[in-house]
């Protein structure tokens, strides 16, 4: 081959390289537009069926010199690169991040506001045990000026032999009592199939620590409009916690509150270790309201007030605490729930600090 012919072929190759680069960049831009459209329509970004169809179509048009396997391999690399590009975009701009949205997300539960200024106190029994039990607590909360009551109807217990909650019956009790006293309610849902139904009975759906990375449950929570209280997992990093919230928000439900509930450490003095630093970090990193569950994080009644004050001083938008008319007979968390007079004292001490 003459030197001239060699140069000619090299120049052609360079031109084709540039054309390929142009086409790949154009392809990436179309894929990015497609992603925006998919997001608007709530369609999943990764579609393996469509990917398989595209590969089959390419193979069917392949006339060589590459064999079919090589064509598949080359295009899979292109698909993968496009997908990674979208993931990098998302990492930079999580929907829950402060970078994406500067203003605080404020959640309105009727006339009750969570986030954006005045912290809120949420109280109620660990489990809904009976109409009478819930009504007794609700009356005491109303008297104290509390507007949001918690109570578990579905209880994720360590032992299958422990009380598992009253289920839907418990949600009905919460609804009936809450409407009598004009309270808003929070209750944990553990099954994606119950999410829609729960919206008819409660004002806030809680996703518990054990389910923080139950992705199907998070997706179902993202598909409704009811506000979600997402608890930090027992051993979840803050990054994992934030990404769990992103699962909900990315499906369209922007009404998410985060709640620090203590994490597992080697320390035995408390049931879990309350990670106070989580509060300012989450407030800094995300625009979502951040609350602290002083009961499950400490498991100790004697330090609830100082921990609640610490949470508020660190910038928490609210505190959650468990209250039971007769903690000794409670069907769950008997050792850590406050009785009603203890709750009144606790609340008075927290209010005295001027932090709420
Ligand atoms: C609860 O709040 O009822 C509960 C079970 O808490 P956690 O999921 O934080 O353990
Ligand atoms: Mn409990």
């Amino acid at each position: 081959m003459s030197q001239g012919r060699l140069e000619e072929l090299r120049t052609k190759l360079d031109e084709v390289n540039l054309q390929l680069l142009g086409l790949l960049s154009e392809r990436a831009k179309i894929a990015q537009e497609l992603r925006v459209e998919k997001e608007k329509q709530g369609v999943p970004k990764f579609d393996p069926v469509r990917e398989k169809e595209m590969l089959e179509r390419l193979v069917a048009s392949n006339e060589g010199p590459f064999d079919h396997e090589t064509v598949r391999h080359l295009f899979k690399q292109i698909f993968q690169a496009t997908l990674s590009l979208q993931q990098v975009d998302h990492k930079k701009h999580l929907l829950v991040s402060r970078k994406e949205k500067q203003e605080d997300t404020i959640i309105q539960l009727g006339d009750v506001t969570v986030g954006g200024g005045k912290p809120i106190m949420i109280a109620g029994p660990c489990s809904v045990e009976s109409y009478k039990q819930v009504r007794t607590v609700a009356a005491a909360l109303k008297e104290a000026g509390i507007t949001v009551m918690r109570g578990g109807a579905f209880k994720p217990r360590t032992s299958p032999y422990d009380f598992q909650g009253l289920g839907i019956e418990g949600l009905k009790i919460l609804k009936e009592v809450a409407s009598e006293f004009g309270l808003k309610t929070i209750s944990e849902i553990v099954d994606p199939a119950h999410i829609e139904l729960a919206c008819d009975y409660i004002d806030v759906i809680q996703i518990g620590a054990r389910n923080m990375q139950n992705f199907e449950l998070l997706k179902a929570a993202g598909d409704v409009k009811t506000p979600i209280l997402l608890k930090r997992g027992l051993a979840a990093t803050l990054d994992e916690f934030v990404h769990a919230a992103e699962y909900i928000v990315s499906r369209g439900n922007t009404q998410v509150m985060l709640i620090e509930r203590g994490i597992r450490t080697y320390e035995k003095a408390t049931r879990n270790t309350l990670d106070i630093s989580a509060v300012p970090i989450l407030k800094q990193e995300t625009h979502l309201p951040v609350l602290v569950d002083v009961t499950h994080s400490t498991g100790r009644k004697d330090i609830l007030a100082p921990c609640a004050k610490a949470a508020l001083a660190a910038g928490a938008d609210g505190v959650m605490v468990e209250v039971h008319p007769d903690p000794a007979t409670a069907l769950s968390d008997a050792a850590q729930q406050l009785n009603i007079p203890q709750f009144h004292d606790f609340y008075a001490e927290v209010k005295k600090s001027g932090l709420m």
Side-chain angles (χ1 to χ4, degrees):
M1 198 180 281
S2 72
Q3 190 61 28
R5 178 70 181 142
L6 204 64
E7 283 310 312
E8 190 189 325
L9 289 175
R10 280 184 174 153
T11 308
K12 268 193 182 168
L13 217 49
D14 283 345
E15 275 167 19
V16 173
N17 280 346
L18 286 176
Q19 282 171 11
L20 274 176
L21 179 63
L23 284 172
L24 285 172
S25 307
E26 194 182 327
R27 189 188 186 284
K29 281 180 200 144
I30 297 171
Q32 278 170 323
E33 266 181 57
L34 188 65
R35 188 201 72 195
V36 173
E37 203 50 45
K38 279 181 169 178
E39 257 169 17
K40 269 194 221 148
Q41 297 187 23
V43 178
K45 277 179 268 313
F46 180 59
D47 182 350
V49 176
R50 161 95 182 129
E51 187 172 309
K52 192 164 178 281
E53 280 169 5
M54 286 195 288
L55 288 175
E56 289 317 310
R57 211 166 292 147
L58 287 160
V59 162
S61 306
N62 181 32
E63 292 172 356
F66 290 127
D67 61 28
H68 291 348
E69 253 339 281
T70 309
V71 169
R72 271 200 196 93
H73 177 74
L74 287 171
F75 276 88
K76 269 193 173 171
Q77 291 298 108
I78 295 173
F79 298 165
Q80 191 52 49
T82 314
L83 199 66
S84 315
L85 188 71
Q86 298 176 2
Q87 276 157 357
V88 171
D89 275 3
H90 261 297
K91 262 209 183 109
K92 270 194 275 182
H93 301 293
L94 281 189
L95 296 169
V96 298
S97 81
R98 265 285 172 214
K99 286 193 196 95
E100 183 69 17
K101 176 172 169 268
Q102 300 264 294
E103 326 80 65
D104 286 338
T105 288
I106 295 172
I107 293 180
Q108 214 57 54
L109 310 171
D111 53 1
V112 178
T113 306
V114 186
K118 193 165 164 37
I120 186 171
M121 178 66 74
I122 299 165
C126 180
S127 295
V128 171
E129 297 170 8
S130 69
Y131 172 79
K132 187 164 168 254
Q133 170 237 17
V134 176
R135 197 180 178 283
T136 307
V137 176
L141 298 183
K142 182 78 185 173
E143 191 196 320
I146 301 294
T147 50
V148 185
M149 174 170 66
R150 60 148 287 142
F154 294 93
K155 298 302 299 176
R157 306 301 300 281
T158 301
S159 167
Y161 306 114
D162 285 340
F163 177 61
Q164 302 287 308
L166 298 181
I168 306 288
E169 192 47 42
L171 298 184
K172 287 184 183 162
I173 292 174
L174 279 175
K175 183 169 177 163
E176 193 178 339
V177 174
S179 74
E180 181 185 347
F181 290 96
L183 298 171
K184 302 294 171 198
T185 53
I186 300 182
S187 199
E188 177 168 354
I189 297 299
V190 296
D191 183 341
H194 288 148
I195 292 276
E196 258 191 65
L197 178 99
C199 301
D200 295 337
Y201 294 103
I202 51 181
D203 300 290
V204 178
I205 293 171
Q206 177 171 312
I207 293 187
R210 287 153 195 81
N211 274 319
M212 190 206 81
Q213 282 189 318
N214 179 338
F215 299 114
E216 293 312 311
L217 187 60
L218 297 175
K219 287 180 197 170
D223 289 340
V224 294
K225 297 264 173 286
T226 302
I228 307 294
L229 180 66
L230 179 64
K231 301 196 91 173
R232 182 177 181 182
L234 279 74
T237 64
L238 293 179
D239 188 57
E240 289 162 343
F241 192 16
V242 167
H243 276 86
E246 183 75 7
Y247 260 87
I248 304 171
V249 174
S250 65
R251 304 280 289 205
N253 188 353
T254 56
Q255 305 292 285
V256 177
M257 298 166 258
L258 303 174
I259 182 159
E260 156 65 27
R261 49 77 73 205
I263 46 173
R264 283 262 168 95
T265 69
Y266 52 79
E267 182 52 64
K268 293 269 183 282
T270 49
R271 180 173 169 183
N272 290 289
T273 297
L274 171 55
D275 179 8
I276 281 291
S277 64
V279 176
I281 293 172
L282 291 169
K283 294 290 296 179
Q284 219 165 284
E285 299 287 318
T286 82
H287 48 78
L288 304 175
V290 178
L291 295 96
V292 170
D293 174 343
V294 286
T295 303
H296 292 94
S297 52
T298 64
R300 286 178 60 148
K301 293 192 244 193
D302 57 335
I303 56 167
L304 292 180
C307 290
K309 287 189 264 185
L312 296 170
D317 296 293
V319 167
M320 186 156 96
V321 67
E322 285 186 342
V323 186
H324 191 284
D326 182 15
T329 64
L331 297 177
S332 59
D333 285 350
Q336 69 184 26
Q337 302 196 62
L338 294 175
N339 65 28
I340 288 166
Q342 285 166 339
F343 170 72
H344 286 306
D345 290 347
F346 159 81
Y347 191 35
E349 191 179 335
V350 177
K351 279 198 295 189
K352 204 171 70 190
S353 70
L355 292 161
M356 115 177 306

